Amino acid sequence: QVQLVESGGGSVQAGGSLRLTCATSGYIRHVNCMGWFRQAPGKEREGVASIYVHDDTPYYADSVKGRFAISQDSAKNTVYLQMNNLNPDDTAMYYCATIPRVPRGGACSLDEYYALGQGTQVTVSS
């Protein structure tokens, strides 16, 4: 069974940065995509970023484009989310995820996931 363990969350002021880390229990060779979802209180869970693990192609939600960057280190079985220029709307629990590819085009989904970690809290104050 795959285990996803997130770390790196915390409290920052608006304009600040954080880097989230997702450690996997082992390299998931049958999974083509990894990524991050988030959920704020009272809101639905939303996809933030995903990455095609075989060539590092990233995909981003419009709300984070230009501010967040997803990357991976396959040798360390780790996925990262660098978050810059944070604002209070980014406050949420962030979850690492294994993710399917969309049926057409092959992009990594930002709408669905196979499995989530337990999450790490990110709080941005104004």
Side-chain angles (χ1 to χ4, degrees):
Q1 186 173 353
V2 172
Q3 289 190 331
L4 307 170
V5 180
E6 304 94 336
S7 62
S11 297
V12 296
Q13 291 190 330
S17 299
L18 286 172
R19 188 174 83 153
L20 305 184
T21 299
C22 173
T24 68
S25 59
Y27 194 65
I28 312 164
R29 297 192 179 277
H30 66 285
V31 174
N32 295 308
C33 302
M34 297 289 297
W36 295 88
F37 281 69
R38 69 184 181 185
Q39 188 167 19
K43 295 187 177 180
E44 293 187 353
R45 189 171 293 150
E46 62 173 347
V48 174
S50 56
I51 186 168
Y52 184 59
V53 301
H54 303 297
D55 67 7
D56 291 345
T57 300
Y59 303 89
Y60 298 103
D62 288 342
S63 59
V64 306
K65 280 181 181 176
R67 301 188 300 121
F68 289 13
I70 188 170
S71 61
Q72 63 157 351
D73 185 336
S74 57
K76 295 182 178 180
N77 299 328
T78 302
V79 179
Y80 304 98
L81 185 67
Q82 177 66 43
M83 305 186 296
N84 299 323
N85 194 21
L86 286 160
N87 62 63
D89 289 338
D90 296 316
T91 295
M93 185 72 78
Y94 283 72
Y95 301 90
C96 181
T98 55
I99 292 174
R101 299 175 77 182
V102 298
R104 297 181 180 180
C108 294
S109 176
L110 288 174
D111 297 317
E112 297 180 85
Y113 55 85
Y114 292 128
L116 294 177
Q118 292 189 330
T120 185
Q121 178 67 40
V122 172
T123 302
V124 185
S125 58
S126 58

